[in-house]
Short mmCIF file of all heavy atoms in Angstrom, two decimals:
data_model
loop_
_atom_site.label_atom_id
_atom_site.label_comp_id
_atom_site.label_asym_id
_atom_site.label_seq_id
_atom_site.Cartn_x
_atom_site.Cartn_y
_atom_site.Cartn_z
N VAL A 124 8.37 2.09 -12.18
CA VAL A 124 8.41 0.96 -13.12
C VAL A 124 7.45 1.23 -14.28
O VAL A 124 7.78 1.01 -15.45
CB VAL A 124 8.07 -0.36 -12.40
CG1 VAL A 124 7.83 -1.48 -13.40
CG2 VAL A 124 9.18 -0.74 -11.44
N ASP A 125 6.23 1.71 -13.97
CA ASP A 125 5.26 2.05 -15.02
C ASP A 125 5.84 3.08 -15.98
O ASP A 125 5.68 2.97 -17.20
CB ASP A 125 3.96 2.60 -14.42
CG ASP A 125 3.18 1.54 -13.66
OD1 ASP A 125 3.46 0.34 -13.80
OD2 ASP A 125 2.27 1.94 -12.89
N ALA A 126 6.50 4.10 -15.44
CA ALA A 126 7.10 5.14 -16.28
C ALA A 126 8.18 4.56 -17.17
O ALA A 126 8.27 4.90 -18.36
CB ALA A 126 7.65 6.27 -15.42
N GLN A 127 9.00 3.68 -16.63
CA GLN A 127 10.07 3.06 -17.43
C GLN A 127 9.49 2.20 -18.54
O GLN A 127 9.96 2.21 -19.67
CB GLN A 127 10.97 2.22 -16.53
CG GLN A 127 11.85 3.04 -15.61
CD GLN A 127 12.59 2.19 -14.60
OE1 GLN A 127 12.14 1.10 -14.24
NE2 GLN A 127 13.70 2.71 -14.14
N GLU A 128 8.44 1.45 -18.22
CA GLU A 128 7.82 0.59 -19.24
C GLU A 128 7.16 1.44 -20.32
O GLU A 128 7.18 1.07 -21.49
CB GLU A 128 6.81 -0.34 -18.59
CG GLU A 128 7.46 -1.43 -17.75
CD GLU A 128 6.47 -2.28 -16.99
OE1 GLU A 128 5.25 -1.98 -17.01
OE2 GLU A 128 6.92 -3.24 -16.35
N SER A 129 6.60 2.57 -19.96
CA SER A 129 5.98 3.47 -20.92
C SER A 129 7.03 3.98 -21.90
O SER A 129 6.77 4.04 -23.11
CB SER A 129 5.32 4.64 -20.18
OG SER A 129 4.89 5.60 -21.09
N ILE A 130 8.18 4.36 -21.39
CA ILE A 130 9.25 4.85 -22.27
C ILE A 130 9.72 3.74 -23.20
O ILE A 130 9.91 3.95 -24.38
CB ILE A 130 10.42 5.39 -21.43
CG1 ILE A 130 9.99 6.66 -20.71
CG2 ILE A 130 11.65 5.65 -22.27
CD1 ILE A 130 9.61 7.79 -21.62
N ARG A 131 9.88 2.53 -22.66
CA ARG A 131 10.31 1.40 -23.49
C ARG A 131 9.31 1.13 -24.62
O ARG A 131 9.69 0.91 -25.76
CB ARG A 131 10.49 0.14 -22.65
CG ARG A 131 11.75 0.16 -21.86
CD ARG A 131 12.01 -1.21 -21.22
NE ARG A 131 12.90 -1.02 -20.11
CZ ARG A 131 12.61 -1.25 -18.84
NH1 ARG A 131 11.44 -1.72 -18.50
NH2 ARG A 131 13.49 -1.06 -17.89
N SER A 132 8.01 1.14 -24.29
CA SER A 132 7.01 0.84 -25.32
C SER A 132 6.97 1.95 -26.36
O SER A 132 6.83 1.67 -27.55
CB SER A 132 5.63 0.63 -24.69
OG SER A 132 5.15 1.81 -24.09
N GLU A 133 7.13 3.20 -25.94
CA GLU A 133 7.17 4.30 -26.92
C GLU A 133 8.41 4.19 -27.80
O GLU A 133 8.35 4.42 -29.00
CB GLU A 133 7.17 5.65 -26.20
CG GLU A 133 5.83 6.01 -25.60
CD GLU A 133 5.85 7.34 -24.87
OE1 GLU A 133 6.63 8.22 -25.25
OE2 GLU A 133 5.05 7.51 -23.94
N PHE A 134 9.53 3.83 -27.20
CA PHE A 134 10.77 3.68 -27.96
C PHE A 134 10.64 2.55 -28.97
O PHE A 134 11.05 2.66 -30.12
CB PHE A 134 11.95 3.40 -27.02
CG PHE A 134 13.25 3.19 -27.74
CD1 PHE A 134 13.93 4.26 -28.28
CD2 PHE A 134 13.78 1.91 -27.88
CE1 PHE A 134 15.13 4.07 -28.95
CE2 PHE A 134 14.98 1.71 -28.53
CZ PHE A 134 15.67 2.79 -29.08
N ASN A 135 10.02 1.44 -28.56
CA ASN A 135 9.84 0.30 -29.45
C ASN A 135 8.92 0.65 -30.63
O ASN A 135 9.13 0.17 -31.74
CB ASN A 135 9.30 -0.92 -28.70
CG ASN A 135 10.34 -1.52 -27.80
OD1 ASN A 135 11.55 -1.37 -28.00
ND2 ASN A 135 9.90 -2.21 -26.75
N GLU A 136 7.90 1.48 -30.39
CA GLU A 136 7.01 1.90 -31.47
C GLU A 136 7.75 2.76 -32.47
O GLU A 136 7.52 2.67 -33.68
CB GLU A 136 5.80 2.65 -30.89
CG GLU A 136 4.82 1.78 -30.16
CD GLU A 136 3.69 2.57 -29.53
OE1 GLU A 136 3.55 3.77 -29.83
OE2 GLU A 136 2.96 1.98 -28.72
N VAL A 137 8.64 3.61 -32.00
CA VAL A 137 9.38 4.52 -32.86
C VAL A 137 10.38 3.74 -33.71
O VAL A 137 10.59 4.03 -34.88
CB VAL A 137 10.10 5.62 -32.03
CG1 VAL A 137 11.07 6.41 -32.88
CG2 VAL A 137 9.07 6.51 -31.38
#
Side-chain angles (χ1 to χ4, degrees):
V124 169
D125 291 346
Q127 289 172 334
E128 290 174 355
S129 172
I130 291 298
R131 283 190 201 116
S132 64
E133 287 179 29
F134 178 76
N135 289 336
E136 288 176 11
V137 170

